[in-house]
Amino acid sequence: MGVGGFAVEGSAAAAAVDVKLTASVVITCIVAASTGLIFGYDIGISGGVTAMNPFLEKFFPSILKKAQKAETSLYCMYDSQVLTSFTSSLYLAALISSLAASRVSALLGRRGIMLVGGCLFLTGAALNGGAQNIAMLIIGRILLGLGVGFTNQATPLYLSEVAPPKLRGGFSAGFQLFVAIGVIVSNVVNFFTKDYTWGWRLSLGLAAVPAIIMTVGALFILDTPNSLVERGKMDEARQSLVRIRGKDADVEPELAEIVKASEIARAANQEPLMTMFKRMYRPHIVIAILLPCFQQLTGINIIAFYAPVLFKSVGFGDDSSYIASIILAGANFTAIIVSTGFVDRYGRRFLLLAGGTLMFFCLVAVSAVLGVTASNSSAKTIPTSDGIAVLVVMCIYSAGFGWSWGPLSWLIPSEIFPIKIRPTGQSISVAVGSGMTFLLTQTFLSMLCHLTYGTFLFYAGWLFVMTTFAMFFVPETKGISIDSMYVVWGRHWFWGRFVQVEEKSGSKV
């Protein structure tokens, strides 16, 4: 066992119930993962829309005038707290709804949360597409955020609970894959609508399409066996297991494992929020809080939100900035596909370390290029060769995120909690991620204006911190049954001291 105490494969206690891959579980997971479309579409659409002149002319005319002034620094053209609130308000709403989602999940289940989230997102998309003033824009964004908060809480849990343990990483990465698809589609939509006065309305209104796809899809899948057992619906839980494991599969051992975990958790008879702050669950909550924080501190979502604005700010032309955004999203998408095949073969920790290291050097390189070529803050463009260099390095950076901190920051928190506190733990994880996204989104354009190319060094510094943390403190969870995850913590060189009480008392939850 290495310094982190990561390998626990082969442990009898942790042995996963042997389940086969079926067409039903593949279809079910694809439908569930499609909820990532609404999150991804919003990530890509907001930055493109805020770079459209017709949109700025209608809602933010002062920003458009400032961007056109010769004396305005290329890094400061879009520096506006009101403009950033258009993007960031969604994530403040997502923070609130994700915290409420665990309560709602106890009543409606994972599938029910997806349906509620889809309907809220659909309403927000309609309001944004028909917005007549900033207030309508913000209210629409808040509704979108409420929908995103619900679906982002439910979907990773759904995928972790339904997928076969040995393939859980790959299936759970499907959520991030659909996020990437949403980002690509939104960037393509922005490219074709940017020159029309009504283009921004179409871009925002088309968010209804992924919302309809995921909401209709959720109507045709069953809830997870874990969620059904937790709510006392044993017959439906058995039916759900038969459907996803196959009619000929013996589902009783897996059902018994789920029931046992649920009964032990229920015997504790404590409020989940209070339970999770016990000493034995300290490792879980630390990982669940830090991983989404670190994911945002990679800087990737900020760059994705403002990709067209960012590329314009470092000297790309109008069309070039949108094309660069599409290429960047494509690199991320390709890397996520790689991640789905590697995460259950090489493990979570290896991908976190490899991706974090690559991203660190990429951001240092981008900062160096911009520092050399764009040191004159009054310049409106940078040399073409340097612009291409920035794009290439940013694509490598995006790929590094796509196979590591992107999907794994959703996967790991969703698989480490015992059933009793799993929805609450995931809610806290999503809420922390949303809160960090709000904070960084609201401050990014101002940071870019004041720190210029140093902004990339800021995120590079955090990448060094999080990669070091992953090396020593993130346990390996590949191949472990979701209800046997206590073994991972018990054998870890550092976290084991916190869960020893749990193992000695026999409460393996």
Side-chain angles (χ1 to χ4, degrees):
M1 182 167 59
V3 68
F6 307 104
V8 292
E9 293 177 89
S11 167
V17 176
D18 185 25
V19 295
K20 296 180 180 180
L21 180 62
T22 64
S24 179
V25 77
V26 171
I27 294 171
T28 298
C29 286
I30 289 175
V31 172
S34 70
T35 60
L37 284 173
I38 65 174
F39 188 36
Y41 188 88
D42 182 79
I43 288 174
I45 211 69
S46 55
V49 166
T50 53
M52 293 182 184
N53 287 344
F55 177 80
L56 294 175
E57 186 176 357
K58 182 173 179 62
F59 297 106
F60 307 97
S62 61
I63 297 173
L64 187 59
K65 292 178 182 178
K66 183 174 70 172
Q68 293 171 344
K69 288 182 180 179
E71 66 270 16
T72 302
S73 167
L74 60 84
Y75 290 104
C76 299
M77 290 190 294
Y78 296 94
D79 181 20
S80 167
Q81 291 299 301
V82 180
L83 180 62
T84 53
S85 68
F86 165 72
T87 299
S88 64
S89 57
L90 182 149
Y91 298 95
L92 186 60
L95 186 158
I96 297 171
S97 64
S98 60
L99 289 175
S102 63
R103 294 283 188 180
V104 181
S105 179
L107 297 174
L108 303 180
R110 320 290 190 241
R111 174 176 170 271
I113 289 288
M114 295 180 197
L115 291 170
V116 172
C119 291
L120 286 169
F121 197 91
L122 182 60
T123 306
L127 195 58
N128 270 178
Q132 297 299 320
N133 50 54
I134 294 178
M136 288 185 69
L137 278 178
I138 300 300
I139 292 173
R141 295 288 293 176
I142 290 173
L143 289 173
L144 293 173
L146 294 174
V148 165
F150 279 129
T151 55
N152 283 5
Q153 188 270 355
T155 302
L157 288 180
Y158 191 102
L159 293 171
S160 288
E161 292 176 346
V162 168
K166 293 182 179 179
L167 298 173
R168 187 173 60 244
F171 276 101
S172 295
F175 173 71
Q176 189 70 20
L177 187 65
F178 275 97
V179 171
I181 292 173
V183 173
I184 293 174
V185 170
S186 61
N187 277 290
V188 172
V189 168
N190 280 336
F191 178 77
F192 286 106
T193 61
K194 62 183 173 57
D195 295 324
Y196 298 96
T197 56
W198 43 263
W200 64 270
R201 290 192 183 277
L202 184 60
S203 290
L204 294 177
L206 283 176
V209 175
I212 292 172
I213 291 174
M214 64 140 289
T215 304
V216 173
L219 292 172
F220 294 95
I221 61 176
L222 296 177
D223 207 346
T224 71
N226 307 67
S227 177
L228 292 166
V229 167
E230 191 179 7
R231 290 181 288 143
K233 300 182 177 182
M234 293 298 301
D235 291 338
E236 292 181 40
R238 184 176 286 104
Q239 180 185 354
S240 177
L241 269 177
V242 169
R243 182 168 175 176
I244 61 178
R245 302 305 183 213
K247 293 182 180 180
D248 298 329
D250 181 11
V251 300
E252 294 304 321
E254 185 174 3
L255 182 62
E257 183 180 350
I258 296 171
V259 171
K260 181 180 179 181
S262 180
E263 287 176 347
I264 293 174
R266 193 177 293 115
N269 194 29
Q270 272 192 305
E271 168 65 33
L273 186 60
M274 299 302 297
T275 300
M276 73 185 311
F277 285 103
K278 285 185 174 181
R279 177 181 170 84
M280 68 177 67
Y281 299 127
R282 199 167 297 168
H284 308 65
I285 195 65
V286 169
I287 296 293
I289 288 175
L290 288 184
L291 256 59
C293 278
F294 286 151
Q295 183 194 51
Q296 297 309 315
L297 287 168
T298 63
I300 188 69
N301 278 350
I302 308 303
I303 290 170
F305 293 146
Y306 296 118
V309 171
L310 176 63
F311 284 122
K312 280 187 179 182
S313 295
V314 298
F316 280 70
D318 194 25
D319 285 351
S320 297
S321 66
Y322 283 94
I323 294 173
S325 301
I326 295 171
I327 295 173
L328 196 65
N332 183 52
F333 173 77
T334 303
I336 294 173
I337 293 178
V338 173
S339 175
T340 60
F342 285 0
V343 67
D344 289 311
R345 180 179 299 178
Y346 298 107
R348 284 69 159 146
R349 180 173 169 268
F350 171 78
L351 294 181
L352 288 176
L353 296 178
T357 302
L358 181 64
M359 294 169 75
F360 169 80
F361 285 111
C362 285
L363 288 188
V364 171
V366 168
S367 180
V369 171
L370 294 180
V372 171
T373 63
S375 58
N376 182 1
S377 62
S378 63
K380 287 292 182 180
T381 60
I382 60 175
T384 302
S385 59
D386 293 319
I388 293 174
V390 168
L391 176 59
V392 170
V393 175
M394 290 302 295
C395 284
I396 298 173
Y397 160 84
S398 183
F401 178 84
W403 80 54
S404 60
W405 290 91
L408 299 182
S409 294
W410 292 103
L411 167 62
I412 295 173
S414 72
E415 64 184 0
I416 60 175
F417 285 101
I419 189 171
K420 174 68 175 178
I421 59 175
R422 194 173 297 151
T424 304
Q426 182 67 9
S427 289
I428 290 176
S429 183
V430 174
V432 169
S434 297
M436 285 298 295
T437 306
F438 169 77
L439 177 64
L440 295 175
T441 303
Q442 189 66 32
T443 59
F444 175 71
L445 292 181
S446 179
M447 182 186 298
L448 184 64
C449 178
H450 292 89
L451 297 182
T452 63
Y453 58 85
T455 302
F456 298 97
L457 290 178
F458 170 81
Y459 289 113
W462 279 109
L463 277 162
F464 178 82
V465 171
M466 67 185 73
T467 303
T468 302
F469 178 84
M471 179 179 294
F472 295 105
F473 297 106
V474 175
E476 183 54 70
T477 56
K478 72 167 184 174
I480 308 300
S481 168
I482 197 169
D483 291 309
S484 299
M485 204 61 70
Y486 59 88
V487 176
V488 171
W489 303 108
R491 294 189 175 186
H492 191 274
W493 73 275
F494 180 78
W495 300 124
R497 70 192 69 184
F498 294 96
V499 299
Q500 285 177 352
V501 176
E502 179 183 25
E503 290 190 308
K504 289 178 180 177
S505 66
S507 295
K508 299 178 180 179
V509 297

